[in-house]
Amino acid sequence: MNRTLNTVYAWLLLLPAMVLLVAFTHYPALATLWHSFFSTPKGRRPAVFVGLENYQAMLQDPVFWRALINNLWFALGTVPVAVGIALLMALWVNRGLAGRGFLRLSYFTPTILPMVAVANIWLFFYTPQYGLLAQILQFLGLPGPNWLGTKETALPALMIVSVWKEAGFFMIFYLAALQGVSPSLREAAMLEGASRWQYFRRVLWPLLMPTTLFVLINALINAFRLIDHVVVMTHGGPDNASTLLLFYIYQIGFSFWDTAYAATLTVVLLVVLGIIAAIKFRWLDKRTHYQ
Amino acid sequence: MRRTVLKSLAAMIAGAFLSLPAYAQTKPVEVEFYYPVAVGGPITKIIDTMVADFEKENAGIKIKPVYAGSYQDSIAKALTALKGGNPPQLAVLLSTDMFTLIDEDAIVPIDGLAKDEAGKQWLGGFYDAFMQNSRSGGHVWGVPFQRSTIVMYYNKTMFKEAGLDPEHPPATWQELVEFSKKLTKKDAAGNVTQWGLEIPSGGSFAYWLFQALTTPNDAILMNEAGNQVMLDKPAVVEAAQFWRDLAAKHGVMPTGTIDWGTTPKDFLEKKAAIIWTTTGNLTNIRSNASFPFGVAMMPKQKRGGSPTGGGNFYVFKNATPAQQEAALKFARWATTPERAADWSIATGYVAVTPAAWQTEKMKKYAQEVPAAAVARDQLDVSVAEFSTHENQRVTKVLNDALQAALTGAKTPQQALTDAQREADRILRSYK
């Protein structure tokens, strides 16, 4: 009896979180998978079961491949750089220097700003001829490229914005982790004659590993979740050079109203994210030292 | 105790049912009205005033205006609401969304509602250039309201500096190249400090500007049924080649794509001598330009011409007959000559009927702002904006092709051949 009551208690306590998770995460994910096997209903034509046809169409869709490859490059370009800069900034502002609070705040500022405002500011930076970058280059006597209007530079330009935006946010996590490291460890290492690099490499870095893992996962998820900048700055152009997967899904879903195909693409996005998470938790976790 | 509660509850319900018919008789017809904002200015305030004026004259009708974001947002909202079973009864959406709305079975033909003699006369009163985007399959589906077209803005001071006549804007493609070359300036290091010409190609409007090149080259991009596009015809490829050449061969326009949103700013910052953009930007440029500027029609090649653009009123199918009637009444009221003139003067959109241009205030406005009349005069040679079934998708195919051609990723011939094939694939089920 007591046991049953306990079980009931446990389930009741879990209920609020579970209702939210089921309603906004699990059910939509399953519904997406379900819809991806049907055609898009249109006016008087209801949806019919089409099996894997949506997936076949996707494999033959050059824009899908473009978006996927762009997204991989985007992740590859932004994640290591953002995490690296975050770590550097955290180590920098963790020391006892004058104006530390101000420095921390200024590093964190990009994170507080609304995404759309940020994108508009950067849109001005990148504007040819009288944008900030163009003015600096003009001053140096260099020609300013058309950053957002050229196939080769559009995606890197977006990557820079993303790094700028994310690094400060991840810095906060590293900073918190660094504050948790006992100063006696450093003193002990110094007494043993370890160099500062050795202390970082052998003591600090392993201790920061859980944070790094957390930050990496978040950075990667953010890389696949980004859409605001694309909408404001390039609209995926020129010729899909800066189309990312989520932006393409949005376009298919809410501009073209091809909801079935959008569901198919969403399934792919979910699978990609699932694989990344699985690899990280299974492989990286083993090499991570939790205190 | 319990019985009393039940009894009073029953009495209340019965009372509600009994009083319902009486209540319904006095209740005004409510019409929910979605509208977008696509140009600068206090549009929401103007709309609210319009609605208030209308309600004063029509006591039995209550219009609920809902600001729905950009054009893209508005159609997304309207279709989402439709799928949720709660669409608006009236909306202003892009004229090019017509086929999408028909395919979604969302709207009713206007000519089916305005069947009387006065209604027919009203529908016949609009500029034909605007009606081209409102007709399909022998029916009228939309009422022109906030309509625009592409015009050329040019900086008269720069024309003078370059030794050109500021009262003679380029009238042909040849003159356009010639003048733009004179208007392009470089510094000692060879970097361009002032561009002769900018035709925006970024964002989602590349196809529209492209029509300002294909129309003068005597090419039409789609049929009236909206299920066939003609993108790989020689005249179309020529137009794309000309656009590419302006940057690549003549060096009078920046290479790569040019952003739609920053083009008016480039003009105001004196970085571009000539720009092509919508008449909707007139009020913005008029209030912010620090130099005298001119407005001109699209330069001619084989003929003149530009596409029209902008939004139409649509009446939704889910509405009750009374609501549809009320919605139609509002659309008719908003497009009467006096009202259309007010709207045009307040926003910069082109007044949609010749009768509106005959009103006293419009005559006065055209005298004060001759630029406004340029758009009207261009209507005689204007064509329908690019619009097909699966409109957004086909438009994206064309935009991508144009951007590929302009950035040099593909030759214009290759890009447009690919686009034609892709568009045929998308449209195959609508034949």
Side-chain angles (χ1 to χ4, degrees):
Chain A
M1 178 57 204
N2 204 5
R3 210 180 137 79
T4 346
L5 206 64
N6 263 342
T7 319
V8 171
Y9 258 142
W11 279 106
L12 277 178
L13 287 172
L14 283 173
L15 197 66
M18 223 169 70
V19 167
L20 289 177
L21 272 176
V22 168
F24 295 107
T25 308
H26 300 145
Y27 168 71
L30 288 177
T32 302
L33 185 66
W34 176 255
H35 286 306
S36 73
F37 297 121
F38 287 84
S39 70
T40 303
K42 270 265 159 75
R44 273 160 288 193
R45 275 184 295 162
V48 290
F49 184 77
V50 293
L52 291 174
E53 204 183 280
N54 284 325
Y55 290 88
Q56 275 166 358
M58 180 182 73
L59 293 180
Q60 287 162 8
D61 179 1
V63 184
F64 160 71
W65 288 108
R66 183 79 256 155
L68 191 66
I69 292 166
N70 279 346
N71 225 145
L72 290 178
W73 278 115
F74 188 84
L76 214 65
T78 55
V79 175
V81 180
V83 172
I85 292 178
L87 182 59
L88 273 180
M89 291 195 303
L91 289 170
W92 174 247
V93 298
N94 191 37
R95 300 190 313 181
L97 52 113
R100 188 171 67 162
F102 178 73
L103 206 59
R104 283 182 187 174
L105 181 71
S106 59
Y107 282 164
F108 192 61
T109 312
T111 311
I112 314 170
L113 299 174
M115 291 280 250
V116 174
V118 162
N120 273 303
I121 295 169
W122 278 86
L123 191 63
F124 165 71
F125 286 177
Y126 286 131
T127 304
Q129 293 191 300
Y130 54 86
L132 187 72
L133 285 175
Q135 285 184 10
I136 295 172
L137 288 173
Q138 245 162 41
F139 182 73
L140 299 172
L142 296 167
N146 185 352
W147 298 103
L148 297 173
T150 313
K151 272 183 91 103
E152 292 75 23
T153 51
L155 191 62
L158 287 184
M159 284 156 70
I160 291 171
V161 180
S162 188
V163 168
W164 173 81
K165 177 100 178 121
E166 305 253 273
F169 183 55
F170 298 141
M171 177 199 75
I172 292 295
F173 294 105
Y174 273 123
L175 198 57
L178 284 173
Q179 308 268 300
V181 174
S182 160
S184 58
L185 286 176
R186 184 184 165 85
E187 282 160 22
M190 293 300 145
L191 271 180
E192 298 286 341
S195 70
R196 286 173 65 170
W197 168 249
Q198 275 173 328
Y199 168 68
F200 172 74
R201 175 72 189 82
R202 298 284 167 203
V203 180
L204 218 46
W205 181 242
L207 283 176
L208 290 176
M209 211 50 195
T211 311
T212 308
L213 180 68
F214 174 78
V215 164
L216 270 179
I217 293 176
N218 269 292
L220 216 71
I221 291 172
N222 282 353
F224 280 91
R225 233 178 39 169
L226 186 104
I227 183 165
D228 324 42
H229 295 172
V230 184
V231 172
V232 176
M233 292 172 71
T234 63
H235 242 90
D239 190 19
N240 296 314
S242 61
T243 298
L244 298 180
L245 206 48
L246 192 58
F247 176 72
Y248 189 49
I249 293 175
Y250 173 81
Q251 247 184 352
I252 296 279
F254 296 98
S255 296
F256 307 164
W257 293 98
D258 192 347
T259 42
Y261 188 44
T264 312
L265 292 169
T266 310
V267 169
V268 172
L269 182 65
L270 285 176
V271 168
V272 168
L273 289 176
I275 289 174
I276 294 169
I279 289 176
K280 272 202 176 134
F281 281 119
R282 292 190 69 83
W283 180 67
L284 270 179
D285 252 11
K286 284 186 193 140
R287 324 183 85 212
T288 306
H289 169 74
Y290 286 105
Q291 269 177 315
Chain B
M1 175 64 199
R2 189 152 162 221
R3 199 170 274 176
T4 355
V5 172
L6 279 179
K7 256 187 199 163
S8 55
L9 207 71
M12 260 165 67
I13 292 170
F17 272 105
L18 285 175
S19 63
L20 201 65
Y23 178 59
Q25 269 175 0
T26 52
K27 197 181 169 194
V29 183
E30 273 198 20
V31 175
E32 205 176 11
F33 165 44
Y34 282 14
Y35 68 96
V37 172
V39 296
I43 304 289
T44 40
K45 213 177 132 205
I46 303 172
I47 294 261
D48 286 345
T49 324
M50 245 171 83
V51 167
D53 287 353
F54 174 76
E55 285 176 350
K56 223 178 282 163
E57 292 172 30
N58 298 274
I61 301 174
K62 179 129 190 54
I63 307 273
K64 268 173 59 190
V66 178
Y67 162 58
S70 68
Y71 275 121
Q72 301 298 333
D73 298 340
S74 299
I75 177 99
K77 269 188 197 151
L79 287 181
T80 314
L82 175 77
K83 285 173 189 195
N86 186 28
Q89 286 79 45
L90 178 70
V92 170
L93 299 166
L94 279 179
S95 58
T96 51
D97 286 328
M98 176 176 68
F99 290 111
T100 308
L101 289 165
I102 295 173
D103 290 342
E104 293 284 355
D105 204 19
I107 53 173
V108 286
I110 303 287
D111 52 346
L113 296 174
K115 272 183 278 194
D116 55 339
E117 210 41 53
K120 275 184 195 146
Q121 214 171 3
W122 167 60
L123 284 177
F126 294 95
Y127 281 106
D128 187 62
F130 290 143
M131 289 309 271
Q132 286 175 21
N133 269 113
S134 312
R135 278 192 302 249
S136 179
H139 285 293
V140 177
W141 298 87
V143 180
F145 177 54
Q146 46 183 40
R147 300 300 297 266
S148 55
T149 177
I150 303 172
V151 287
M152 182 163 68
Y153 297 82
Y154 65 98
N155 185 324
K156 287 189 175 173
T157 314
M158 288 182 185
F159 265 58
K160 256 180 234 164
E161 280 167 11
L164 295 165
D165 177 5
E167 300 312 320
H168 182 80
T172 62
W173 282 12
Q174 202 192 341
E175 277 185 349
L176 184 70
V177 174
E178 213 175 284
F179 291 8
S180 300
K181 275 184 182 163
K182 287 186 187 159
L183 289 163
T184 305
K185 278 192 200 158
K186 291 182 181 175
D187 64 10
N191 299 324
V192 176
T193 54
Q194 174 187 314
W195 289 105
L197 173 65
E198 280 189 10
I199 304 175
S201 46
S204 36
F205 288 111
Y207 74 96
W208 198 44
L209 277 303
F210 185 51
Q211 278 190 285
L213 290 162
T214 53
T215 311
N217 208 29
D218 215 5
I220 294 296
L221 298 183
M222 77 293 173
N223 63 353
E224 198 184 291
N227 57 11
Q228 173 69 44
V229 296
M230 292 79 94
L231 303 179
D232 57 353
K233 294 276 178 289
V236 182
V237 177
E238 255 172 50
Q241 184 69 49
F242 177 71
W243 198 354
R244 165 95 181 123
D245 283 350
L246 286 171
K249 193 167 137 200
H250 305 301
V252 297
M253 203 171 74
T255 50
T257 58
I258 300 168
D259 189 66
W260 163 262
T262 53
T263 303
K265 188 123 192 356
D266 293 353
F267 185 66
L268 294 172
E269 295 276 341
K270 302 180 199 166
K271 295 294 179 187
I274 304 174
I275 61 162
W276 290 16
T277 186
T278 166
T279 44
N281 268 315
L282 182 59
T283 312
N284 170 28
I285 290 180
R286 211 154 63 91
S287 43
N288 292 314
S290 58
F291 47 82
F293 71 92
V295 175
M297 293 196 219
M298 290 293 107
K300 290 185 181 128
Q301 171 69 348
K302 289 170 190 156
R303 50 164 283 189
S306 151
T308 61
N312 283 351
F313 277 118
Y314 293 102
V315 177
F316 280 69
K317 202 171 193 168
N318 272 23
T320 63
Q323 282 174 323
Q324 287 179 346
E325 201 186 311
L328 187 78
K329 206 167 186 182
F330 180 69
R332 270 174 86 158
W333 180 87
T335 50
T336 51
E338 289 291 319
R339 291 287 155 187
D342 285 344
W343 178 247
S344 169
I345 293 165
T347 58
Y349 285 112
V350 186
V352 285
T353 59
W357 288 92
Q358 292 306 317
T359 57
E360 280 311 311
K361 50 185 130 178
M362 208 61 205
K363 278 184 188 160
K364 197 163 147 255
Y365 177 66
Q367 230 162 29
E368 272 168 37
V369 191
V374 170
R376 175 197 62 191
D377 297 340
Q378 190 167 255
L379 287 179
D380 292 338
V381 286
S382 290
V383 298
E385 182 176 6
F386 187 69
S387 168
T388 64
H389 290 278
E390 298 269 345
N391 187 50
Q392 305 260 356
R393 184 172 265 186
V394 176
T395 301
K396 180 173 159 59
V397 167
L398 178 53
N399 280 341
D400 287 351
L402 291 170
Q403 292 179 357
L406 290 173
T407 52
K410 290 180 187 170
T411 62
Q413 176 74 57
Q414 184 63 44
L416 288 166
T417 309
D418 291 353
Q420 177 72 37
R421 194 180 53 230
E422 185 64 16
D424 283 344
R425 195 181 66 76
I426 296 170
L427 291 173
R428 69 189 185 283
S429 56
Y430 294 94
K431 294 281 161 61

